[in-house]
Amino acid sequence: MHLFRKDVPLLGSGRPHASAGRVEAAPFGRSEAGGPDVGAFTLDNGLDVVVVPDHRAPVVTHMVWYRNGSADDPQGQSGIAHFLEHLMFKGTERHPVGAFSKAVSGLGGQENAFTSYDYTAYFQRVARDHLKTMMEFEADRMTGLVLDDAVVAPERDVVLEERRMRVETDPSAQLSEAMAASLFVHHPYGTPIIGWMHEIEELNRTHALNYYKRFYTPENAILVVAGDVTADDVRRMADDTYGRVTPQGARPVRVRAREPEPKALRRLAVADPKVEQPTLQRLYLTPSCMTARDGECHALELLAEVMGGGSTSYLYRKLVMERGVAVNAGAWYMGSAIDDTRFSVYAIPAEGVSLEKLEEEVDRVLRRAPSEALTPEAIERAKTRLVAETVYSSDSQSSLARIYGSALAIGESIEEVRRWPSDIEGVTPARLAAVAERYLVPQRSVTGYLTKTREADA
């Protein structure tokens, strides 16, 4: 799992009171060693429940995670998971459109929702005394959603406009989409979470309801409550609300194509007059925390920190401080995924340095990384930073809820979340060198150039 950094793509619904990050915006971390006394149980209808006590204030964060994301969109219906997330705010048989949001606002709370490749989540943050009210509303829209064309068509227009604003007018987002599509030639991680424009235009009420009926069931959901509560409190309220939802009998099966082993390096470029800063980006296909073997996930996570985690990292030191060919450089790893994922290296050229020259320097530095970057001192600094940042992240109640919810939604266990700091501490220099040499190789990569053109050239 990861800290709240730029590695897990999320797409928000744009609801009030919370940020709906960019398409490539990001993720969460793990709790500190030991951590809170987390409770977990499963209701009779199959709903998994996680309780994360935090008694510092009489406040709770209430989150419902569904084990479906954009990578589960049916072929030809890209963007349906995100579209349905929007439609979930359009009312139920019991509560008309806006009633849920009005109730949250009237109680002085906050709410939002987001879609990722592997999950969709809805959350509210309210005073402890209003937790059951949130459960009642959320349990109701798990099965009671009402849709008609009068709300579906306008909301589809909202999503289309969201795509225009976030992607169609943003060359950086266009490059990110193109690189993902090139890296994942067969797997749905190559399709943007928001969907392709021409497929969003065709989404309709039937698509949304079919998807809703398939995935929005108690046995496919995880309830996470973090805050001033006990497991017994949550169990009693959950039984009275979510426990009344009838299960479908079995969790829906996720059917995804497997990405073939890459054999050829790929290159692409986006040139646009709106580009203010040329950028070099590189993606490598790597295992995720769910597909890695023998601790490779933790090694890749630590490698990204050693290589590109800030101004003391190897890439920054070599490319910015010593060689002066870049004004910024770094790396990140998106380990929190069900299937094989991506490791990224990026650099922004200094004045007068071409992207071709910068790429040569990046490749030279990467070739030397196993022998130069992985010193005992650098590794220990990176471990300290990762674990310390996670401890700080875990001090937030909402972050704790996201930590556990995102982990369980992709198939990790509570024990794996709690064990993460010690797993990071146990990564050896030899393991770091091994994953660098195995995965950071040309045939597993996609290299992208973002460049500025003149209006006449464009």
Side-chain angles (χ1 to χ4, degrees):
M1 186 77 69
H2 301 272
L3 302 171
F4 199 76
R5 297 184 309 196
K6 183 182 177 182
D7 59 4
V8 173
L10 301 174
L11 198 58
S13 63
R15 307 303 303 171
H17 310 304
S19 61
R22 290 174 50 87
V23 174
E24 69 271 17
F28 335 105
R30 293 187 180 271
S31 78
E32 64 271 29
D37 185 17
V38 177
F41 53 89
T42 301
L43 301 187
D44 290 342
N45 59 8
L47 178 72
D48 291 324
V49 184
V50 176
V51 182
V52 188
D54 178 6
H55 301 294
R56 292 174 295 179
V59 176
V60 293
T61 297
H62 170 260
M63 302 192 76
V64 177
W65 300 73
Y66 291 96
R67 296 177 175 93
N68 69 277
S70 67
D72 303 297
D73 292 351
Q75 189 169 7
Q77 297 176 30
S78 65
I80 188 64
H82 171 246
F83 184 34
L84 179 57
E85 176 216 311
H86 278 242
L87 294 174
M88 287 289 284
F89 291 86
K90 296 306 177 182
T92 67
E93 295 177 0
R94 293 180 55 195
H95 301 109
V97 58
F100 193 172
S101 296
K102 184 177 180 180
V104 174
S105 177
L107 295 172
Q110 299 173 320
E111 66 163 343
N112 213 329
F114 52 84
T115 304
S116 186
Y117 289 119
D118 296 315
Y119 47 74
T120 307
Y122 303 83
F123 67 90
Q124 303 84 36
R125 182 174 167 85
V126 294
R128 173 190 57 204
D129 295 343
H130 305 307
L131 174 59
K132 188 174 181 180
T133 300
M134 298 300 100
M135 289 186 176
E136 290 170 343
F137 272 108
E138 201 69 82
D140 174 52
R141 70 174 172 182
M142 185 178 284
T143 57
L145 184 66
V146 173
L147 297 178
D148 57 50
D149 291 334
V151 298
V152 172
E155 198 63 32
R156 183 178 57 227
D157 291 339
V158 170
V159 175
L160 288 168
E161 182 60 24
E162 182 180 355
R163 180 173 171 91
R164 291 187 190 100
M165 293 177 60
R166 294 187 175 200
V167 182
E168 307 302 325
T169 61
D170 185 345
S172 176
Q174 294 164 24
L175 179 64
S176 295
E177 276 196 354
M179 293 184 68
S182 185
L183 185 70
F184 298 101
V185 299
H186 194 48
H187 190 280
Y189 287 166
T191 299
I193 294 170
I194 198 170
W196 300 116
M197 181 71 82
H198 67 285
E199 292 186 347
I200 301 172
E201 291 172 344
E202 301 299 322
L203 296 178
N204 58 40
R205 174 179 177 273
T206 299
H207 295 146
L209 286 176
N210 287 343
Y211 196 84
Y212 174 70
K213 292 173 182 176
R214 178 184 175 194
F215 287 111
Y216 282 61
T217 68
E219 60 266 54
N220 198 46
I222 304 162
L223 168 64
V224 180
V225 179
D228 191 18
V229 291
T230 67
D232 288 341
D233 293 335
V234 173
R235 183 190 292 270
R236 184 179 64 257
M237 288 184 278
D239 273 329
D240 288 343
T241 53
Y242 292 103
R244 300 178 184 273
V245 179
T246 303
Q248 291 191 7
R251 185 180 301 171
V253 178
R254 289 173 156 178
V255 180
R256 297 177 176 182
R258 180 182 175 185
E259 187 66 23
E261 190 71 8
K263 301 296 183 183
L265 64 88
R266 287 137 287 173
R267 310 181 63 82
L268 50 86
V270 170
D272 192 283
K274 295 188 290 294
V275 173
E276 297 182 359
Q277 179 64 67
T279 306
L280 168 69
Q281 297 186 35
R282 174 83 55 77
L283 295 178
Y284 296 93
L285 185 68
T286 65
S288 70
C289 63
M290 298 303 294
T291 62
R293 60 189 187 190
D294 302 328
E296 285 183 332
C297 171
H298 302 104
L300 285 163
E301 191 163 9
L302 185 58
L303 181 66
E305 186 69 23
V306 173
M307 296 287 290
S311 59
T312 61
S313 68
Y314 177 69
L315 286 170
Y316 192 96
R317 188 175 74 252
K318 288 293 183 180
L319 298 172
V320 179
M321 305 298 293
E322 295 182 13
R323 300 181 185 273
V325 295
V327 295
N328 195 13
W332 52 267
Y333 168 60
M334 186 184 140
S336 185
I338 289 176
D339 300 307
D340 284 353
T341 187
R342 66 199 82 182
F343 186 108
S344 177
V345 171
Y346 63 90
I348 298 175
E351 185 72 26
V353 177
S354 68
L355 289 178
E356 291 80 4
K357 172 63 175 176
L358 180 59
E359 185 180 1
E360 291 177 4
E361 295 289 347
V362 168
D363 286 337
R364 181 179 294 113
V365 168
L366 289 175
R367 285 194 298 270
R368 296 177 179 176
S371 60
E372 289 187 355
L374 307 180
T375 64
E377 295 79 13
I379 293 171
E380 284 305 310
R381 284 198 304 270
K383 288 179 178 180
T384 300
R385 283 197 305 270
L386 272 181
V387 175
E389 288 172 2
T390 302
V391 171
Y392 300 148
S393 174
S394 300
D395 194 51
S396 163
Q397 181 189 105
S398 59
S399 291
L400 280 171
R402 292 186 175 207
I403 286 167
Y404 285 95
S406 59
L408 271 65
I410 65 171
E412 289 189 286
S413 67
I414 290 175
E415 178 55 32
E416 286 174 307
V417 174
R418 294 171 64 86
R419 200 179 61 224
W420 179 85
S422 61
D423 287 339
I424 288 293
E425 293 287 1
V427 176
T428 65
R431 177 52 58 85
L432 283 175
V435 295
E437 293 170 353
R438 180 173 185 179
Y439 296 112
L440 304 191
V441 294
Q443 66 266 28
R444 304 187 69 88
S445 72
V446 176
T447 300
Y449 283 12
L450 182 65
T451 61
K452 184 177 182 66
T453 59
R454 297 175 300 175
E455 293 285 353
D457 294 337

